[in-house]
Structure formats: structure tokens, C-alpha cells
Amino acid sequence: MKRNLLIGKYWDPEAVLKGLDKLTSQGVHIFDVFSPFPIHGVDPYLKSKRTRLTVASFIYGCLGFLTAVTMMSLIYGVVWPMNIGGKPALAFPSFVPITFELTVLFAAHGLVITFFIVGNYWPGKRARLLDIRQTDDVFIIAIDKDKLSDESSVKAVFTDTGAYDISETEYER
Amino acid sequence: MSHVRSPIRQKWVTNTDTYGQITADIVRPIESKMNLTWIAVTLLSAAVMLFGFAMIGWTIWEGIGTWGLNKTVGWAFDITNFVFWVGIGHAGTLISAVLLLFRQEWRNSINRASEAMTIFAVMCAGIFPLLHMGRVWLGLWFFPMPNTRGSLWVNFNSPLLWDVFAISTYFSVSLVFWYLGMIPDFATVRDRFAIQGRKISSRIYGILSFGWEGSSRNWSRYEVISLILSGLATPLVLSVHTIVSMDFATSVIPGWHTTIFPPYFVAGAIFSGFGMVQTLMIVTRKVYKLENYITLDHMESIAKIVLATGSLVGLAYMTEFFTAWYSGSLWERYIFINRAFGPFGWSYWIMFSCNVITPQLFWFKKIRTSMVLTFIISIFVNIGMWFERFVIIVTSLHRDFLPSSWSMYTPTYVEFGILIGSFGLFFTLFFLFAKYAPVVNMFEVKTLLKHPKKPDNLETGSEPVTV
Amino acid sequence: MAHAHYTSEQLTERFQFLGKYRTVIFGLIGVGLVLVLASWLLTDGSEATTHAADGHAAIESVHSPVQPVADTHGEGDHGHADHVPGVGTRMLTGTLISLLFFFTISMGALFFLAVHQVGNAGWQTAIRRVPEAMSLWVPVAGVVFLILLFFLGDLYEWAIIPEGVDAIIDKKRAWLNEGSFWFRTFVYFTIWIGGALVLRRLSVSQDSAASVEDGVSFFRKSTGVAAGFIVLFAFSYSLFTFDWIKSLEPHWFSTIFGVYVFAGSFGSAMFTLGLLLTFLKRQGYMSYVNDSHIHDVYKFAFGFTVFWAYIWVSQYLLIWYSNIPEEGIYYVKRYSVGDPAYIGGSFNIVWIINLLLCFLTPFLGLMTRNAKRMAKVYIPISILALTGHYIDIFQMVQPGALGKYWGFGMMEIGFFLIFAGLFLFVVFTALTRANLVPQRHPYLEESLHHTTGDV
């Protein structure tokens, strides 16, 4: 979707937070914030939903747990029971380590793969940058211009809170 | 985390007041031309590595009869090396995961290199059990697959099989964790190259960076998954050395079978890993001039962890010794006396002095802040922890239950060759990493810089770009 | 110094030991005493003698000629298992269990203080007076241990079995004898009481420093003391558990035992701390303790739940796997169903409940972020986990001390109530003695602004 963005560029993350605070208090909807590192305290202004990746990871973990227990119980309990060191064929204490490992394996990899899919990341994907230095030392507040009633007040906030550059641009995402 | 910082806390980033400077300092080795020293040391390590590969080739061709093993001492040098390398790896995960959960800010500038160390160490470790199988080409039999070999399934009761699962999970999860951490930094490198107009380099790092843009929505998810991965990696790292310790502790061999092995091996692993972190960091910060990011305070914190874990290991040694006596068991008592005063007693005392006594020097601030002394102690720690595994493995085996089976063990040149070769592999990989990836986690270090100065080269009116 | 959100009254408040708390505490102690007395009086008088008096040694010598020769560790646990123990032993066992329960909690709190001091942790500054108060139970517990020292023969079989009867115990006489046991106990408590009192004194004297800058010297001194204390703690606590708990079954040995007890004690200290903080907040104190502090306390509780399980599995798995008789006996006693030769059929229920309450309940219950912040979740979980910790100590002590005559009844409940009352009395009294929040602490500001963030 093509959007028209109004962007303010900052060099100080503290100023970004001030800007976001003023903008949201004026009822402006924030499209996104771009920064070279995570700024703590930005999330509440973006009003994004709490991520459910934790739940996903828990489910993957359970899946790994079940896989391990089923695999070992089937192989040693049904397919090919074996007497090893006089222990019962289904020697559950022996299954603890592998069960744990597979739980972690599934939870971790499932989580990361989901993260890549949800965030649409893949090797070779082109990045669309509002400023070439936004991964280095430039912080950007982007606002959807089409949802905006009063452009000038936003620009005023940008200037007041220390944005060094204000511009408009098209952006596709 | 609190946004207030007590004035008595250390500054983890010194003499730096802009984010751009952090980027420039850390990316410099990647951007600059290869220098001769780097080429020389990398080639040297590669040569050592190739020598090791030759010895590996000889082992595979001729069989493990080329090693010094005998019927009594059926496990020796290679398992020692395996446990040694796996142990080295533990510090990386501890720094990246456990210290993240504990909100230790100083981890931010050493986690990248330590995680790399983890990955490379685990790669080195993997060589040894594979070789010890004798027929490496049958390595796939490790995995529980339906098969036509008379329905030959793997032995789920065997700690060696647990190792297969533990090490492969550990390696793959650490790799993913490490790579995930590098994605935003690769994006930074990509954009730096784009500014300089070096299109091919920019594109290569672009592919590696998965199209990272630094949107806050992504950062928010990114931080969540980093925390979950840390939460998963913490018990994982404990489990790995626990399972390695069970290779020994589930047996009935006196000296191997003792219940403290799991936490004791984990403590020892962290100890040896931090010893290696010290060795690597002291050199890296000096060569790459990263003293502003890996400060003396960082090195002190690492030294304190070495001290703490070294003392824990000492506690475990003494507990073992005491309990061997307390058990009243003839064999337990004998094996520990033999360990310290028998024919391999010298290795016990090398172990004890390097692991328990030397780190006690870190009680003194003067020593913690002297990089020369720290470097020397870190080498001692590495040596001591190699010997620890040697002591555990060889001294417990060489005196069998049956005195007629008693024997000694001497490694051959092939075994030494493979050990040296593994160091070659480790350093080759580390040098390549140090040249082509940011050795310090840039975005996490940037979060530590409070109240930056306004950069003097800000550009207005720049257009959006696609890279 | 400007404290952004809190008035100076809030930051200099003290805990008031109100009459209603006293009533409850004395009620607990009173009911406990009544229960103990009742179960004592209800026991058949003819059995109400202690070992020392009942010619225990004679019984032993009849029994044991096989033992020294066969050298079979553990198999014939002749001591207390072979005859009906007197009510005196039962009372001492009850005392030991409840004493250890609260003592391990206070040692966990003491270690919490020391390790956070050394680790430069800022977040805990606002709540640290509570673990400080908990750690002051250590000296009181020391007095009770001192009393127990006079009754070693009724609890520990090595203390009454004469030389020449049991070959294995004889091999350990250099360690397991009353003289050195007394000596070691004195050394342990010197270290711990010293550590607890010095750390407390430094913390309280910091309150009267002129400024935060002046307070730093107390803080630095605490760090030094705490670092030394941790080293001594590691050695002494491990040996303490060998002496006071492991030697109840003197044939058995396990190197990890100290770590096992430590894992339980730190975890249960965190559950207790969470409960105490919630209680204080509900009584109107400590308004500056926010959800994030509670969250972090329960993160520790959760972490140590997992750590406890890890150590539990390590010990169990290795002993089960190797199947060496002298070690395996420990678990055979605890879980062989219906084998009265060892301990009687149903002890395995205790053993399983212990696992469920100590691991599974808090592990599943505290997994989510909200559970660590919502009182209606973490209070019941804490109570269950602490029950589990009691059972944990119960299953460590009773099979060794009472063997197949183990039991749980009014006696054990009575002692638990007495010690609960005493523990709360000490903690509450300690809380009244100083401000509820440390003054002039260099990390106080950090702690008052503490937040765990959105994740």
C-alpha cells in the first residue's frame, strides 16, 4: 500500500520520546518510528497489540515435548522394546534429557521462524529506508499524512522537540 | 530496568558521545583494507588447521589405533578435547542469555564475540566424538530413523545419545541467537557501504541483513524474542554440560560417578569459557582499539566471574574429595588418593593450582585491572581446565577394578596434532569473524550511551532509498 | 534529594507491630504448644522414652554382627528403623523439620542480600529491609540448633552406635562424632550470625549517614563483607547440610546434597519474600514497591523452581541410573511401594507430592508474566510451593530419623505453628527496628523507579 508520510528526523532518542508524547496528546496517529536501536518507552505510543510470540513459543515447546515423548515411547514401548542395563524398556528418567532438548529445540526454532515470517524477513529482501542513516544515528518519526487533519501543528511539534529535518515522502509497505 | 542511573555505577561506554562514532569505530575493521598482520595470522591458523585436518585424515584412513588408547584407558585425549571445547562454548551463552536476564549492561559489548566463540568452540568440539566413532561415515546412525538394519534403533538410555541431541540443539540454537543479534548490525554495515557507494559489499550485507529497517514495531518483537530465546538458552546451556557430565556420572566408575557432576561441570564450563573470553577480549580490544567499548571495568567484571566460578570449581573438588573419604567406599577412597598422589598426580596438581589457586589472585583490584596479568592468568585457566578433563577421564580409568588391568596412557603425535589443529580451526574461524562481522554488538552498545552530542554532519533533505 | 513520586513520610515509614499481629502470632504459638502437648500426652507412656535411655546400644549390638563383615552400605539401616522410636525422638524430629524449614528460608534471604550486594543490583534496594529481617532469624535458629546439640543421640544413629558395631560408620568416625559435630556447628553459626549481623548493621548505619555520598562508604564495606561471606557460605552451608541432614542416614552419601538444599532454600526464601511484601503492602506500607519488584522476586522464585528441579533430577537420575546399592537405598526407602522392610508403604505419596508441589505447581503457575504480578495467582502458588518445601525437608529428615515409624500428625503441625509464630515474631520485630526503606542508599533512586519494562 502506498502511503504519503510526513517524517521528522531526530538525532536524540530522548527528543523522539518527547515528540511522540506531544503528538499523541494531540491525537495524532503514529505510523511508525525508525531507530538504529530499540528505544525504551516507544511501544505505548504505537498502540500496537502485545505480541503473541510468547504463546507461539510455548505451543512449539509443547509440540517438541510431545514429539520426544511419543517418539521414545513408541520406539521403546511398541516398536522395539529393549532391555538395557536391566532397566525397564520405558525408562522414563532416561528420557528426561532428550525430552528437554527437543522441547527447547522446537520452541527456539519455531519462535525464530515465526518471527521471520511475521516480520516478513528473508535473505535478500530489499530494505526501504527513509534515511540512509536510520540504522546508524538517525531517529525518525513517521506519520501517515492522509490520516492527518492538521499538518502544520505536527510540523510545529517536530520543530519544537528538536527534529533537525522535516520532509514528506511516499512509502510503500 | 530503571531510567535512573546511580552515579556510582560504571560507565560502560567511555570517551564516546555520538552514535555515529560507535558505528564508525566498530565497523572500521570491516571497511578498511585487509592488513598484512591479519592475513599473516589467519594464514598461520589456517596452516595449523590443515595440519590438524591431515591428522584427522590419517586417523580416518588408518583407524583410531593411531591413538594412544588401550583396553583400560579407552577414553582419553579426544574426549578431553571434546569436553574442553564444549566447556569453552558455555561462556558465550552465559553472557548473551543469562546476563541479559540479569539485566547486566556490560554484557552488551562482549556478547557478540563471545557468542562467536561459542559457535566455533562447539564446532571444534564436534570433531572429537565423530572421530572416536572410528567410522565417521556412519555418523547418521546417531539419529533415530526407521531403518533396515534389523530395526536397529538408537539407545535412548545412553548419555552419549543425549549428547547428540544436546549438542545439536545447543549449536543450532546458539547459531540462530547469534545470527539474530547480527541482523540489525549487518543492516548498519549495509547502509555504510551504500553511503560509500560500494554496491557489491552493500548488497552482500543486505542479503545477510534480511531487509532490516529498524521499525519500532519490529524492534518490539525483536526484543521479546531475544528475551524468550535467553529464557530458553539459559536452561539449555545448563543442560548441555549436565549431559556431558552424565557421560561420566551415569557410570559406576569411581571418580566418575558422583552426583555433583552436573552443576560442577557447568560451573567449570563457565569458568573455562570466561578464561577464553578474557584471552580473546584482551587481544581484540587492543588490536581493534575498542578500549572505549570493552573497558577495564568490563575486564574486571569478567575477572570477577572467573574468580567466582573458579572458587565454585574448587568447592566441587573439595566436596568430591571429602565425600570420597566420607563414603567409606574402598574404591572411591583409592581413586581419589591415586588421583592426587598416583602416577598422574602431576596433572592433578596442575589442574588444582591453575583452576583454584591462580584465579584467587583476582581478589586484588590491581591484578584485575592489569591486562598483562589477566592475560597470563587466563592462559593458566585454559590450561587448568583442559587438565581437569584429562584428570577426570584418565586417572579414573587407568587404575581398573582389576589390578592386572592397570595401565598408563601416553598420547601419540596424531592426538596432539588433532588438538592443535582444533585450535587452528577455532582461530581461523575467529579471525574470519573478526574481519567480516562487527565484533561488538553496535545496536546494544548504542543503548548504553546516554545524552549523546548532536552530530555535526547531519544532512537535511536526503531522499528515501532502497538498499 | 528529590524523590520524584514519594513523600518523605512514605520513605521514612516504620512498621508498627500492632496488637492484632501479636494476637495472631501468640495464637499460632499457643495452638502449636497445645497440639504438641496433646500429642505427647496422648502417646502411650511406656514408649515415651528417648533413645539414650532405652538401651538402644544393646539392641544394636544384637542386630549387627553381619554388618561390619558384609560391608553392604545402607542395606541394614539398623539405627532408628529397627525399633519403635520414643515420643522424644518424634518430638525432636518435628522440631528439626520445622526449624530447618524456617532456617533454610532465612539462609536463602541472607544469601539473597549478599549476592545482590556483590552483584551491584539496584532493583532490590527498596525491598531489602524485608530479607534483612528474614535473615535475622538465623541467630534465633542458632539457639534452637544449640539445644538440639544436646539430643544428637536421639536423632542421629551414628551418635549412639558404639564403635565396632557398624563398619561403615566406624570409617567416618573422624567426622561423625559429637565433639567435632559440636565444633562445626559453632563454626557455621559464627560465620552466619556474624554475616547476618554485620550486613544488617552496615545497612542500618547507612540510614544515619549525612548524605548519599557519605552512605557510599557503608555500601562499599557491605560489598566487601558480602563477597567474603559468599565464599564462606558456600563451604559452610554445604557442610551443614551434610552434617545436620545427610548424616541422618549415615551410610548414604551424595556430593550434590548441599546444592540441593541450597536450591530449595533460595527458592522458598523468594516465595516467603513475595508473601511478606504483599502482606506489608496490603497493610498500607511500602507503597513504593511496585509490580515490577514483585515480578522480579517471582522471577527468582520461578528460576529457582527450575533450578531445584534440575538439581533434583541430577541427583535422582544419576543414582537411579548407576543403581549402586549404597546410594540407591536412599530412594528405595522413599519410593518402594509397600516394602515395610524399609519404611512402610505409603511414603512414596509424600515423595510424589513433594515433586508436584516443589516443581510442577510453581513451574506451570508462574510461567506467564501476569502470574508473577497478580496476587490472586502468586499467593496460592507461593503457599503451595512453601508447603512443597516443607514436605521436601520432611522427606529428607523423617526416613532417616524415624524409619518405618514415620508419621505426620498433630505433633508436626504443632511444631510448625510454634516455629511459624516465632519466625514471624522475629521478622516483625526486626522490621520495626529500622526504616522500611534504606536511606542514603546509592541505588535507592534506581529502585524507586524500577520497572521491568513491557516484556
Side-chain angles (χ1 to χ4, degrees), chain B residues 1-2 4 6 9 103 157 159 224 227 242 246 250-251 257-260 262 315 323 325-328 333, chain C residues 73 120 122 171-172 175 231 235 253-256 296 310 314 317-318 321-322 327 442-443 446 449-451 455:
Chain B
M1 205 62 86
S2 167
V4 179
S6 170
R9 284 201 189 273
R103 299 192 286 257
N157 289 299
V224 171
L227 267 183
T242 293
M246 285 175 180
T250 50
S251 70
H257 175 71
T258 167
T259 46
I260 207 172
L315 173 62
T323 307
W325 173 81
Y326 178 87
S327 74
R333 283 182 172 190
Chain C
H73 297 235
N120 274 311
K171 285 187 184 174
K172 313 183 182 193
W175 185 265
V231 175
F235 283 88
F253 54 92
S254 169
T255 37
I256 208 176
D296 275 345
Y310 161 63
S314 299
L317 181 70
L318 292 178
Y321 198 107
S322 298
E327 291 179 1
Y443 293 150
E446 284 187 11
H449 290 94
H450 177 59
T451 163
V455 282

Side-chain angles (χ1 to χ4, degrees), chain A residues 133-153:
Chain A
R133 276 167 62 175
Q134 75 185 39
T135 56
D136 181 356
D137 59 351
V138 166
F139 304 79
I140 297 169
I141 301 180
I143 287 163
D144 203 335
K145 223 171 75 173
D146 306 333
K147 290 186 189 165
L148 212 57
S149 50
D150 183 11
E151 246 178 70
S152 57
S153 72

Side-chain angles (χ1 to χ4, degrees), chain A residues 21-130:
Chain A
D21 198 47
K22 279 199 177 170
L23 288 169
T24 39
S25 67
Q26 291 180 6
V28 176
H29 173 81
I30 312 288
F31 170 65
D32 209 339
V33 175
F34 295 92
S35 56
F37 56 84
I39 309 173
H40 286 274
V42 164
D43 286 356
Y45 299 115
L46 290 177
K47 300 201 174 60
S48 45
K49 269 187 281 174
R50 235 185 102 71
T51 171
R52 282 164 304 181
L53 281 169
T54 38
V55 183
S57 179
F58 180 75
I59 294 170
Y60 295 128
C62 291
L63 208 67
F65 179 86
L66 288 178
T67 309
V69 173
T70 329
M71 174 184 75
M72 288 186 282
S73 311
L74 276 183
I75 293 178
Y76 269 21
V78 180
V79 180
W80 201 259
M82 248 192 289
N83 180 339
I84 292 159
K87 303 259 187 293
L90 286 178
F92 285 108
S94 281
F95 295 174
V96 170
I98 293 181
T99 311
F100 172 80
E101 297 302 334
L102 286 186
T103 308
V104 171
L105 185 79
F106 277 54
H109 289 299
L111 173 71
V112 173
I113 291 168
T114 313
F115 169 73
F116 284 146
I117 293 173
V118 172
N120 188 25
Y121 294 118
W122 36 275
K125 184 192 170 193
R126 298 274 180 177
R128 174 87 178 144
L129 302 175
L130 294 174

Side-chain angles (χ1 to χ4, degrees), chain C residues 371-392:
Chain C
K372 299 189 196 83
R373 294 170 164 250
M374 283 176 359
K376 64 173 187 241
V377 181
Y378 67 68
I379 289 178
I381 297 281
S382 303
I383 292 170
L384 285 172
L386 287 172
T387 314
H389 182 59
Y390 179 88
I391 295 174
D392 194 22

Side-chain angles (χ1 to χ4, degrees), chain C residues 68-235:
Chain C
V69 188
D71 205 18
T72 43
H73 297 235
E75 247 167 56
D77 250 308
H78 16 213
H80 299 271
D82 283 357
H83 68 288
V84 185
V87 71
T89 301
R90 178 82 185 263
M91 285 174 86
L92 287 164
T93 313
T95 311
L96 184 63
I97 295 171
S98 295
L99 173 63
L100 279 172
F101 176 79
F102 290 103
F103 172 68
T104 47
I105 287 175
S106 62
M107 286 299 279
L110 183 54
F111 184 75
F112 174 90
L113 288 173
V115 84
H116 280 73
Q117 183 73 39
V118 171
N120 274 311
W123 70 276
Q124 48 84 34
T125 313
I127 62 166
R128 64 173 284 140
R129 281 288 144 87
V130 182
E132 269 175 26
M134 285 159 71
S135 74
L136 291 181
W137 171 253
V138 174
V140 183
V143 174
V144 188
F145 276 110
L146 179 67
I147 298 170
L148 283 184
L149 277 177
F150 289 95
F151 300 99
L152 288 180
D154 299 308
L155 282 167
Y156 300 92
E157 57 177 345
W158 53 260
I160 39 157
I161 294 177
E163 209 137 340
V165 173
D166 185 318
I168 297 165
I169 293 180
D170 284 349
K171 285 187 184 174
K172 313 183 182 193
R173 290 273 179 214
W175 185 265
L176 292 181
N177 61 69
E178 291 209 33
S180 66
F181 196 93
W182 274 70
F183 172 73
R184 288 195 303 272
T185 304
F186 274 102
V187 173
Y188 304 150
F189 277 94
T190 314
I191 295 169
W192 302 334
I193 296 175
L197 293 182
V198 171
L199 285 175
R200 168 71 172 183
R201 179 156 305 158
L202 283 169
S203 174
V204 175
S205 13
Q206 189 171 251
D207 285 4
S208 43
S211 63
V212 178
E213 287 70 32
D214 288 344
V216 171
S217 66
F218 293 98
F219 176 80
R220 299 260 183 248
K221 218 169 165 186
S222 288
T223 309
V225 172
F229 175 76
I230 287 174
V231 175
L232 294 174
F233 170 89
F235 283 88

